[in-house]
Every structure is written in structure tokens, then in C-alpha cells.
Amino acid sequence: MRELDQLLLRYLEQAWAADSEAGRAVFRVLLDCEDDRLWRWFLGHEQPNDAALATLVERIRTLPP
């Protein structure tokens, strides 16, 4: 989905370089999740069960466009 790509690119462009190695590892885990699940998380319909994933999803959702 193009919209998901845009959200994930926003993180790569704005936060990846300054993020810790642990933060980058969580992003890699996020990339392995199914698009349908990601879409529900980013729309706020569901929350990831993993606290680190939930934190990252919220961070990405609040990054400026």
C-alpha cells in the first residue's frame, strides 16, 4: 500500500539516523508485519501487543508529513 510506504519512509527520512540500534531493530520487526495489520495499527483501530512496536507505531503516526 502506497500510504504505508509513505508512513514508513517518513520514519526513515526523519528518525532512522538518530534512532538507537534497539529502535532500528524494532523498525525491522515492524517491516515483517502484514500490511493489513500495519494499516489497522496506523489508523488506530488496533494496538500492537508488543509495547515497543506500539511505541514505534505511535511515533511514526505523529511524525510531521
Short mmCIF file of all heavy atoms in Angstrom, two decimals:
data_model
loop_
_atom_site.label_atom_id
_atom_site.label_comp_id
_atom_site.label_asym_id
_atom_site.label_seq_id
_atom_site.Cartn_x
_atom_site.Cartn_y
_atom_site.Cartn_z
N MET A 1 0.84 -1.18 0.00
CA MET A 1 0.00 0.00 0.00
C MET A 1 0.89 1.24 0.00
O MET A 1 1.78 1.37 0.82
CB MET A 1 -0.89 0.02 1.24
CG MET A 1 -1.94 -1.02 1.29
SD MET A 1 -2.90 -0.79 2.80
CE MET A 1 -3.79 -2.31 2.77
N ARG A 2 0.57 2.11 -0.88
CA ARG A 2 1.36 3.32 -1.02
C ARG A 2 1.34 4.18 0.26
O ARG A 2 2.33 4.78 0.64
CB ARG A 2 0.86 4.13 -2.21
CG ARG A 2 1.69 5.36 -2.48
CD ARG A 2 1.37 5.93 -3.84
NE ARG A 2 1.93 7.22 -4.03
CZ ARG A 2 3.19 7.45 -4.36
NH1 ARG A 2 4.02 6.45 -4.52
NH2 ARG A 2 3.64 8.67 -4.54
N GLU A 3 0.20 4.22 0.91
CA GLU A 3 0.08 5.02 2.13
C GLU A 3 1.01 4.50 3.22
O GLU A 3 1.63 5.28 3.94
CB GLU A 3 -1.36 5.03 2.63
CG GLU A 3 -2.34 5.70 1.69
CD GLU A 3 -2.86 4.77 0.59
OE1 GLU A 3 -2.44 3.61 0.53
OE2 GLU A 3 -3.71 5.23 -0.19
N LEU A 4 1.09 3.18 3.36
CA LEU A 4 2.01 2.60 4.33
C LEU A 4 3.45 2.92 3.98
O LEU A 4 4.25 3.24 4.85
CB LEU A 4 1.83 1.08 4.41
CG LEU A 4 0.61 0.58 5.15
CD1 LEU A 4 0.51 -0.94 5.05
CD2 LEU A 4 0.63 1.01 6.60
N ASP A 5 3.76 2.82 2.70
CA ASP A 5 5.11 3.16 2.25
C ASP A 5 5.48 4.58 2.65
O ASP A 5 6.58 4.85 3.11
CB ASP A 5 5.25 3.00 0.74
CG ASP A 5 5.15 1.57 0.28
OD1 ASP A 5 5.27 0.65 1.13
OD2 ASP A 5 4.95 1.35 -0.92
N GLN A 6 4.54 5.50 2.48
CA GLN A 6 4.79 6.90 2.83
C GLN A 6 5.03 7.07 4.33
O GLN A 6 5.92 7.82 4.74
CB GLN A 6 3.64 7.78 2.37
CG GLN A 6 3.57 7.90 0.87
CD GLN A 6 2.36 8.67 0.40
OE1 GLN A 6 1.37 8.84 1.12
NE2 GLN A 6 2.40 9.13 -0.84
N LEU A 7 4.26 6.37 5.14
CA LEU A 7 4.46 6.44 6.59
C LEU A 7 5.83 5.89 6.99
O LEU A 7 6.55 6.50 7.79
CB LEU A 7 3.37 5.65 7.32
CG LEU A 7 2.01 6.30 7.42
CD1 LEU A 7 0.99 5.31 7.91
CD2 LEU A 7 2.07 7.51 8.33
N LEU A 8 6.19 4.76 6.43
CA LEU A 8 7.46 4.13 6.78
C LEU A 8 8.64 4.96 6.26
O LEU A 8 9.66 5.08 6.95
CB LEU A 8 7.50 2.70 6.25
CG LEU A 8 6.41 1.79 6.83
CD1 LEU A 8 6.45 0.42 6.17
CD2 LEU A 8 6.52 1.66 8.34
N LEU A 9 8.48 5.54 5.09
CA LEU A 9 9.53 6.42 4.56
C LEU A 9 9.71 7.66 5.44
O LEU A 9 10.83 8.16 5.60
CB LEU A 9 9.23 6.83 3.13
CG LEU A 9 9.54 5.80 2.07
CD1 LEU A 9 9.03 6.25 0.70
CD2 LEU A 9 11.02 5.51 2.00
N ARG A 10 8.61 8.13 5.99
CA ARG A 10 8.69 9.30 6.89
C ARG A 10 9.61 9.00 8.07
O ARG A 10 10.44 9.81 8.46
CB ARG A 10 7.27 9.63 7.39
CG ARG A 10 7.18 10.92 8.12
CD ARG A 10 5.79 11.19 8.60
NE ARG A 10 4.84 11.20 7.49
CZ ARG A 10 3.52 11.20 7.66
NH1 ARG A 10 3.00 11.18 8.86
NH2 ARG A 10 2.73 11.21 6.61
N TYR A 11 9.47 7.78 8.63
CA TYR A 11 10.36 7.38 9.73
C TYR A 11 11.80 7.32 9.25
O TYR A 11 12.71 7.83 9.91
CB TYR A 11 9.94 6.03 10.31
CG TYR A 11 10.98 5.44 11.23
CD1 TYR A 11 11.09 5.87 12.54
CD2 TYR A 11 11.89 4.50 10.77
CE1 TYR A 11 12.07 5.36 13.38
CE2 TYR A 11 12.87 3.98 11.60
CZ TYR A 11 12.95 4.41 12.90
OH TYR A 11 13.93 3.90 13.71
N LEU A 12 12.02 6.69 8.09
CA LEU A 12 13.38 6.55 7.58
C LEU A 12 14.03 7.91 7.34
O LEU A 12 15.20 8.11 7.64
CB LEU A 12 13.38 5.73 6.29
CG LEU A 12 13.10 4.24 6.46
CD1 LEU A 12 12.93 3.58 5.10
CD2 LEU A 12 14.19 3.57 7.26
N GLU A 13 13.27 8.84 6.81
CA GLU A 13 13.81 10.16 6.50
C GLU A 13 14.00 11.04 7.73
O GLU A 13 14.93 11.83 7.79
CB GLU A 13 12.90 10.87 5.50
CG GLU A 13 12.90 10.21 4.14
CD GLU A 13 11.83 10.74 3.20
OE1 GLU A 13 10.95 11.51 3.65
OE2 GLU A 13 11.87 10.36 2.01
N GLN A 14 13.12 10.89 8.72
CA GLN A 14 13.14 11.82 9.85
C GLN A 14 13.72 11.26 11.14
O GLN A 14 14.16 12.03 11.99
CB GLN A 14 11.71 12.31 10.14
CG GLN A 14 11.11 13.10 9.01
CD GLN A 14 9.72 13.58 9.33
OE1 GLN A 14 9.38 13.83 10.48
NE2 GLN A 14 8.90 13.72 8.31
N ALA A 15 13.72 9.94 11.31
CA ALA A 15 14.09 9.41 12.62
C ALA A 15 15.16 8.32 12.58
O ALA A 15 15.83 8.12 13.59
CB ALA A 15 12.84 8.88 13.32
N TRP A 16 15.30 7.61 11.49
CA TRP A 16 16.22 6.47 11.43
C TRP A 16 17.63 6.84 11.87
O TRP A 16 18.22 6.17 12.71
CB TRP A 16 16.23 5.89 10.02
CG TRP A 16 17.22 4.80 9.82
CD1 TRP A 16 18.51 4.93 9.39
CD2 TRP A 16 17.04 3.40 10.05
NE1 TRP A 16 19.13 3.70 9.33
CE2 TRP A 16 18.24 2.75 9.73
CE3 TRP A 16 15.97 2.64 10.50
CZ2 TRP A 16 18.40 1.37 9.84
CZ3 TRP A 16 16.12 1.27 10.60
CH2 TRP A 16 17.33 0.65 10.27
N ALA A 17 18.19 7.89 11.32
CA ALA A 17 19.58 8.25 11.58
C ALA A 17 19.84 8.54 13.05
O ALA A 17 20.91 8.21 13.58
CB ALA A 17 19.99 9.45 10.72
N ALA A 18 18.87 9.13 13.74
CA ALA A 18 19.06 9.50 15.14
C ALA A 18 18.60 8.40 16.10
O ALA A 18 18.87 8.50 17.30
CB ALA A 18 18.30 10.79 15.43
N ASP A 19 17.93 7.39 15.59
CA ASP A 19 17.39 6.35 16.46
C ASP A 19 18.50 5.42 16.96
O ASP A 19 19.54 5.26 16.32
CB ASP A 19 16.32 5.54 15.74
CG ASP A 19 15.22 5.07 16.66
OD1 ASP A 19 15.39 5.16 17.89
OD2 ASP A 19 14.20 4.59 16.15
N SER A 20 18.24 4.79 18.09
CA SER A 20 19.20 3.84 18.65
C SER A 20 19.16 2.54 17.85
O SER A 20 18.24 2.31 17.05
CB SER A 20 18.82 3.53 20.11
OG SER A 20 17.58 2.85 20.14
N GLU A 21 20.13 1.70 18.08
CA GLU A 21 20.14 0.40 17.41
C GLU A 21 18.93 -0.43 17.83
O GLU A 21 18.34 -1.13 17.01
CB GLU A 21 21.45 -0.35 17.73
CG GLU A 21 21.69 -1.52 16.81
CD GLU A 21 21.68 -1.17 15.32
OE1 GLU A 21 22.25 -0.15 14.92
OE2 GLU A 21 21.06 -1.94 14.55
N ALA A 22 18.52 -0.31 19.08
CA ALA A 22 17.32 -1.01 19.55
C ALA A 22 16.07 -0.49 18.83
O ALA A 22 15.20 -1.27 18.44
CB ALA A 22 17.16 -0.85 21.06
N GLY A 23 15.98 0.81 18.64
CA GLY A 23 14.86 1.40 17.91
C GLY A 23 14.83 0.94 16.47
O GLY A 23 13.76 0.66 15.92
N ARG A 24 16.00 0.87 15.86
CA ARG A 24 16.08 0.38 14.48
C ARG A 24 15.68 -1.08 14.39
O ARG A 24 15.05 -1.51 13.42
CB ARG A 24 17.49 0.57 13.94
CG ARG A 24 17.85 2.01 13.74
CD ARG A 24 19.27 2.13 13.26
NE ARG A 24 19.64 3.53 13.10
CZ ARG A 24 20.81 3.93 12.64
NH1 ARG A 24 21.74 3.04 12.31
NH2 ARG A 24 21.07 5.21 12.52
N ALA A 25 16.01 -1.86 15.41
CA ALA A 25 15.63 -3.28 15.43
C ALA A 25 14.11 -3.42 15.50
O ALA A 25 13.54 -4.30 14.83
CB ALA A 25 16.30 -3.99 16.60
N VAL A 26 13.47 -2.57 16.26
CA VAL A 26 12.00 -2.61 16.35
C VAL A 26 11.41 -2.26 14.99
O VAL A 26 10.43 -2.88 14.54
CB VAL A 26 11.48 -1.66 17.45
CG1 VAL A 26 9.96 -1.59 17.44
CG2 VAL A 26 11.98 -2.09 18.81
N PHE A 27 12.00 -1.31 14.30
CA PHE A 27 11.51 -0.95 12.96
C PHE A 27 11.64 -2.14 12.01
O PHE A 27 10.73 -2.40 11.22
CB PHE A 27 12.29 0.26 12.42
CG PHE A 27 11.80 0.72 11.08
CD1 PHE A 27 10.61 1.41 10.95
CD2 PHE A 27 12.53 0.46 9.93
CE1 PHE A 27 10.15 1.83 9.70
CE2 PHE A 27 12.09 0.88 8.69
CZ PHE A 27 10.90 1.58 8.58
N ARG A 28 12.73 -2.87 12.11
CA ARG A 28 12.89 -4.06 11.25
C ARG A 28 11.81 -5.10 11.55
O ARG A 28 11.30 -5.74 10.64
CB ARG A 28 14.28 -4.65 11.45
CG ARG A 28 15.38 -3.80 10.85
CD ARG A 28 16.74 -4.48 11.00
NE ARG A 28 17.79 -3.54 10.72
CZ ARG A 28 18.57 -2.96 11.64
NH1 ARG A 28 18.41 -3.26 12.92
NH2 ARG A 28 19.50 -2.11 11.29
N VAL A 29 11.46 -5.25 12.82
CA VAL A 29 10.37 -6.16 13.18
C VAL A 29 9.05 -5.65 12.57
O VAL A 29 8.26 -6.44 12.03
CB VAL A 29 10.25 -6.29 14.72
CG1 VAL A 29 8.99 -7.04 15.12
CG2 VAL A 29 11.48 -6.98 15.29
N LEU A 30 8.84 -4.36 12.64
CA LEU A 30 7.63 -3.76 12.08
C LEU A 30 7.52 -4.07 10.58
O LEU A 30 6.44 -4.37 10.08
CB LEU A 30 7.65 -2.25 12.31
CG LEU A 30 6.40 -1.47 11.95
CD1 LEU A 30 5.28 -1.76 12.93
CD2 LEU A 30 6.70 0.02 11.92
N LEU A 31 8.64 -4.04 9.88
CA LEU A 31 8.64 -4.31 8.45
C LEU A 31 8.20 -5.74 8.13
O LEU A 31 7.72 -6.00 7.02
CB LEU A 31 10.02 -4.06 7.85
CG LEU A 31 10.48 -2.60 7.81
CD1 LEU A 31 11.89 -2.53 7.23
CD2 LEU A 31 9.52 -1.73 7.01
N ASP A 32 8.36 -6.65 9.07
CA ASP A 32 7.97 -8.04 8.84
C ASP A 32 6.48 -8.29 9.10
O ASP A 32 5.99 -9.38 8.83
CB ASP A 32 8.80 -8.98 9.73
CG ASP A 32 10.22 -9.13 9.24
OD1 ASP A 32 10.44 -8.97 8.01
OD2 ASP A 32 11.09 -9.41 10.07
N CYS A 33 5.77 -7.29 9.60
CA CYS A 33 4.34 -7.45 9.89
C CYS A 33 3.53 -7.33 8.61
O CYS A 33 3.92 -6.65 7.66
CB CYS A 33 3.88 -6.39 10.89
SG CYS A 33 4.68 -6.54 12.50
N GLU A 34 2.38 -7.98 8.60
CA GLU A 34 1.49 -7.95 7.45
C GLU A 34 0.91 -6.55 7.24
O GLU A 34 0.61 -5.84 8.20
CB GLU A 34 0.34 -8.93 7.65
CG GLU A 34 0.77 -10.37 7.73
CD GLU A 34 -0.39 -11.29 8.05
OE1 GLU A 34 -1.55 -10.83 8.08
OE2 GLU A 34 -0.12 -12.47 8.26
N ASP A 35 0.73 -6.19 5.98
CA ASP A 35 0.21 -4.86 5.65
C ASP A 35 -1.14 -4.59 6.28
O ASP A 35 -1.39 -3.48 6.76
CB ASP A 35 0.10 -4.69 4.13
CG ASP A 35 1.45 -4.47 3.46
OD1 ASP A 35 2.47 -4.35 4.17
OD2 ASP A 35 1.47 -4.42 2.21
N ASP A 36 -2.02 -5.57 6.28
CA ASP A 36 -3.35 -5.35 6.86
C ASP A 36 -3.26 -5.01 8.34
O ASP A 36 -3.98 -4.14 8.84
CB ASP A 36 -4.23 -6.58 6.68
CG ASP A 36 -4.62 -6.81 5.23
OD1 ASP A 36 -4.48 -5.87 4.43
OD2 ASP A 36 -5.05 -7.93 4.91
N ARG A 37 -2.37 -5.68 9.03
CA ARG A 37 -2.19 -5.41 10.46
C ARG A 37 -1.58 -4.02 10.65
O ARG A 37 -2.03 -3.24 11.50
CB ARG A 37 -1.28 -6.47 11.07
CG ARG A 37 -1.01 -6.26 12.54
CD ARG A 37 -0.30 -7.41 13.12
NE ARG A 37 -1.29 -8.49 13.21
CZ ARG A 37 -1.00 -9.73 13.54
NH1 ARG A 37 0.22 -10.08 13.82
NH2 ARG A 37 -1.94 -10.65 13.61
N LEU A 38 -0.57 -3.69 9.86
CA LEU A 38 0.04 -2.36 9.94
C LEU A 38 -1.00 -1.27 9.71
O LEU A 38 -1.02 -0.27 10.43
CB LEU A 38 1.17 -2.22 8.92
CG LEU A 38 2.42 -3.04 9.15
CD1 LEU A 38 3.35 -2.95 7.95
CD2 LEU A 38 3.13 -2.60 10.41
N TRP A 39 -1.82 -1.48 8.71
CA TRP A 39 -2.84 -0.50 8.38
C TRP A 39 -3.78 -0.27 9.56
O TRP A 39 -4.08 0.87 9.91
CB TRP A 39 -3.60 -0.97 7.15
CG TRP A 39 -4.48 0.09 6.56
CD1 TRP A 39 -5.84 0.03 6.45
CD2 TRP A 39 -4.09 1.35 6.03
NE1 TRP A 39 -6.30 1.19 5.88
CE2 TRP A 39 -5.26 2.02 5.61
CE3 TRP A 39 -2.87 2.00 5.89
CZ2 TRP A 39 -5.23 3.29 5.05
CZ3 TRP A 39 -2.85 3.26 5.32
CH2 TRP A 39 -4.01 3.89 4.92
N ARG A 40 -4.23 -1.33 10.21
CA ARG A 40 -5.11 -1.19 11.38
C ARG A 40 -4.40 -0.46 12.52
O ARG A 40 -5.01 0.36 13.21
CB ARG A 40 -5.62 -2.55 11.83
CG ARG A 40 -6.61 -3.17 10.85
CD ARG A 40 -7.29 -4.41 11.41
NE ARG A 40 -6.35 -5.47 11.78
CZ ARG A 40 -5.96 -6.46 10.98
NH1 ARG A 40 -6.41 -6.52 9.75
NH2 ARG A 40 -5.12 -7.37 11.41
N TRP A 41 -3.12 -0.75 12.71
CA TRP A 41 -2.35 -0.07 13.76
C TRP A 41 -2.21 1.42 13.46
O TRP A 41 -2.43 2.25 14.33
CB TRP A 41 -0.97 -0.69 13.90
CG TRP A 41 -0.95 -2.08 14.45
CD1 TRP A 41 -1.96 -2.75 15.07
CD2 TRP A 41 0.16 -2.99 14.41
NE1 TRP A 41 -1.55 -4.01 15.42
CE2 TRP A 41 -0.25 -4.19 15.04
CE3 TRP A 41 1.45 -2.91 13.92
CZ2 TRP A 41 0.59 -5.28 15.18
CZ3 TRP A 41 2.29 -3.99 14.06
CH2 TRP A 41 1.86 -5.17 14.69
N PHE A 42 -1.82 1.75 12.23
CA PHE A 42 -1.59 3.16 11.90
C PHE A 42 -2.88 3.97 11.85
O PHE A 42 -2.86 5.17 12.10
CB PHE A 42 -0.80 3.29 10.59
CG PHE A 42 0.67 3.00 10.77
CD1 PHE A 42 1.25 1.90 10.17
CD2 PHE A 42 1.46 3.83 11.54
CE1 PHE A 42 2.60 1.62 10.33
CE2 PHE A 42 2.81 3.56 11.72
CZ PHE A 42 3.38 2.46 11.12
N LEU A 43 -3.99 3.31 11.56
CA LEU A 43 -5.27 4.02 11.60
C LEU A 43 -5.81 4.14 13.02
O LEU A 43 -6.77 4.86 13.27
CB LEU A 43 -6.30 3.29 10.73
CG LEU A 43 -6.11 3.44 9.24
CD1 LEU A 43 -7.14 2.60 8.49
CD2 LEU A 43 -6.21 4.89 8.81
N GLY A 44 -5.20 3.41 13.96
CA GLY A 44 -5.63 3.47 15.34
C GLY A 44 -6.78 2.55 15.68
O GLY A 44 -7.37 2.66 16.75
N HIS A 45 -7.10 1.61 14.78
CA HIS A 45 -8.18 0.66 15.04
C HIS A 45 -7.75 -0.44 16.00
O HIS A 45 -8.59 -1.04 16.66
CB HIS A 45 -8.68 0.03 13.73
CG HIS A 45 -9.30 1.02 12.81
ND1 HIS A 45 -10.46 1.70 13.10
CD2 HIS A 45 -8.92 1.46 11.59
CE1 HIS A 45 -10.76 2.50 12.10
NE2 HIS A 45 -9.83 2.38 11.17
N GLU A 46 -6.46 -0.74 16.03
CA GLU A 46 -5.89 -1.76 16.91
C GLU A 46 -4.54 -1.26 17.42
O GLU A 46 -3.95 -0.34 16.85
CB GLU A 46 -5.68 -3.08 16.16
CG GLU A 46 -6.94 -3.76 15.72
CD GLU A 46 -6.66 -5.05 14.96
OE1 GLU A 46 -5.50 -5.52 14.93
OE2 GLU A 46 -7.62 -5.59 14.39
N GLN A 47 -4.07 -1.92 18.47
CA GLN A 47 -2.75 -1.63 19.04
C GLN A 47 -1.91 -2.90 18.95
O GLN A 47 -2.42 -3.99 19.20
CB GLN A 47 -2.87 -1.23 20.51
CG GLN A 47 -3.48 0.11 20.74
CD GLN A 47 -2.50 1.23 20.46
OE1 GLN A 47 -1.30 1.07 20.58
NE2 GLN A 47 -3.02 2.37 20.07
N PRO A 48 -0.63 -2.77 18.64
CA PRO A 48 0.24 -3.95 18.71
C PRO A 48 0.30 -4.47 20.14
O PRO A 48 0.25 -3.69 21.10
CB PRO A 48 1.60 -3.42 18.28
CG PRO A 48 1.34 -2.13 17.59
CD PRO A 48 0.08 -1.59 18.18
N ASN A 49 0.41 -5.78 20.29
CA ASN A 49 0.55 -6.37 21.63
C ASN A 49 1.91 -6.07 22.24
O ASN A 49 2.03 -6.00 23.45
CB ASN A 49 0.34 -7.88 21.56
CG ASN A 49 -1.09 -8.24 21.24
OD1 ASN A 49 -2.01 -7.50 21.58
ND2 ASN A 49 -1.29 -9.36 20.57
N ASP A 50 2.90 -5.91 21.42
CA ASP A 50 4.25 -5.61 21.87
C ASP A 50 4.38 -4.12 22.17
O ASP A 50 4.07 -3.27 21.32
CB ASP A 50 5.24 -6.03 20.78
CG ASP A 50 6.68 -5.79 21.18
OD1 ASP A 50 7.16 -4.66 20.95
OD2 ASP A 50 7.31 -6.73 21.70
N ALA A 51 4.83 -3.78 23.37
CA ALA A 51 4.92 -2.38 23.79
C ALA A 51 5.88 -1.57 22.92
O ALA A 51 5.61 -0.41 22.59
CB ALA A 51 5.33 -2.29 25.24
N ALA A 52 7.00 -2.17 22.53
CA ALA A 52 7.98 -1.46 21.71
C ALA A 52 7.39 -1.15 20.32
O ALA A 52 7.59 -0.06 19.79
CB ALA A 52 9.27 -2.27 21.58
N LEU A 53 6.66 -2.10 19.77
CA LEU A 53 6.01 -1.87 18.47
C LEU A 53 4.93 -0.78 18.60
O LEU A 53 4.83 0.09 17.74
CB LEU A 53 5.37 -3.15 17.95
CG LEU A 53 6.28 -4.12 17.22
CD1 LEU A 53 5.53 -5.40 16.87
CD2 LEU A 53 6.88 -3.51 15.98
N ALA A 54 4.17 -0.84 19.67
CA ALA A 54 3.12 0.17 19.88
C ALA A 54 3.72 1.57 19.99
O ALA A 54 3.19 2.53 19.42
CB ALA A 54 2.31 -0.17 21.13
N THR A 55 4.84 1.68 20.69
CA THR A 55 5.51 2.96 20.83
C THR A 55 6.01 3.47 19.49
O THR A 55 5.85 4.65 19.15
CB THR A 55 6.69 2.84 21.83
OG1 THR A 55 6.16 2.46 23.10
CG2 THR A 55 7.44 4.15 21.97
N LEU A 56 6.60 2.58 18.71
CA LEU A 56 7.11 2.99 17.39
C LEU A 56 5.97 3.38 16.46
O LEU A 56 6.07 4.39 15.75
CB LEU A 56 7.95 1.87 16.77
CG LEU A 56 8.52 2.18 15.39
CD1 LEU A 56 9.40 3.43 15.42
CD2 LEU A 56 9.28 0.99 14.84
N VAL A 57 4.90 2.63 16.45
CA VAL A 57 3.75 2.98 15.61
C VAL A 57 3.25 4.38 15.97
O VAL A 57 3.00 5.21 15.09
CB VAL A 57 2.63 1.93 15.74
CG1 VAL A 57 1.32 2.44 15.14
CG2 VAL A 57 3.05 0.63 15.07
N GLU A 58 3.14 4.66 17.25
CA GLU A 58 2.68 5.98 17.67
C GLU A 58 3.67 7.07 17.27
O GLU A 58 3.27 8.15 16.84
CB GLU A 58 2.42 6.01 19.18
CG GLU A 58 1.77 7.27 19.66
CD GLU A 58 0.43 7.56 18.99
OE1 GLU A 58 -0.29 6.63 18.60
OE2 GLU A 58 0.11 8.76 18.83
N ARG A 59 4.95 6.78 17.41
CA ARG A 59 5.97 7.76 16.97
C ARG A 59 5.84 8.06 15.50
O ARG A 59 5.88 9.22 15.09
CB ARG A 59 7.38 7.19 17.21
CG ARG A 59 8.02 7.62 18.47
CD ARG A 59 9.43 7.07 18.60
NE ARG A 59 10.36 7.72 17.70
CZ ARG A 59 11.51 7.20 17.31
NH1 ARG A 59 11.88 6.02 17.71
NH2 ARG A 59 12.30 7.87 16.52
N ILE A 60 5.68 7.03 14.69
CA ILE A 60 5.57 7.23 13.25
C ILE A 60 4.28 7.99 12.92
O ILE A 60 4.30 8.88 12.05
CB ILE A 60 5.63 5.88 12.51
CG1 ILE A 60 7.02 5.27 12.66
CG2 ILE A 60 5.27 6.04 11.03
CD1 ILE A 60 7.17 3.85 12.15
N ARG A 61 3.20 7.66 13.61
CA ARG A 61 1.92 8.36 13.36
C ARG A 61 2.03 9.86 13.64
O ARG A 61 1.33 10.65 13.02
CB ARG A 61 0.82 7.78 14.24
CG ARG A 61 0.36 6.41 13.81
CD ARG A 61 -0.71 5.87 14.72
NE ARG A 61 -1.95 6.62 14.47
CZ ARG A 61 -2.95 6.70 15.31
NH1 ARG A 61 -2.87 6.11 16.49
NH2 ARG A 61 -4.03 7.37 15.00
N THR A 62 2.88 10.25 14.57
CA THR A 62 2.95 11.65 14.97
C THR A 62 4.07 12.43 14.28
O THR A 62 4.21 13.63 14.51
CB THR A 62 3.11 11.77 16.49
OG1 THR A 62 4.31 11.10 16.90
CG2 THR A 62 1.91 11.18 17.21
N LEU A 63 4.85 11.76 13.43
CA LEU A 63 5.89 12.48 12.69
C LEU A 63 5.23 13.45 11.71
O LEU A 63 4.22 13.12 11.08
CB LEU A 63 6.79 11.51 11.92
CG LEU A 63 7.76 10.68 12.73
CD1 LEU A 63 8.41 9.61 11.85
CD2 LEU A 63 8.82 11.56 13.37
N PRO A 64 5.80 14.62 11.55
CA PRO A 64 5.21 15.57 10.60
C PRO A 64 5.37 15.07 9.16
O PRO A 64 6.36 14.41 8.84
CB PRO A 64 6.01 16.86 10.82
CG PRO A 64 7.23 16.47 11.56
CD PRO A 64 6.95 15.16 12.24
N PRO A 65 4.40 15.38 8.32
CA PRO A 65 4.47 14.95 6.91
C PRO A 65 5.59 15.61 6.14
O PRO A 65 6.15 16.57 6.49
CB PRO A 65 3.12 15.32 6.34
CG PRO A 65 2.36 16.03 7.38
CD PRO A 65 3.17 16.06 8.62
#
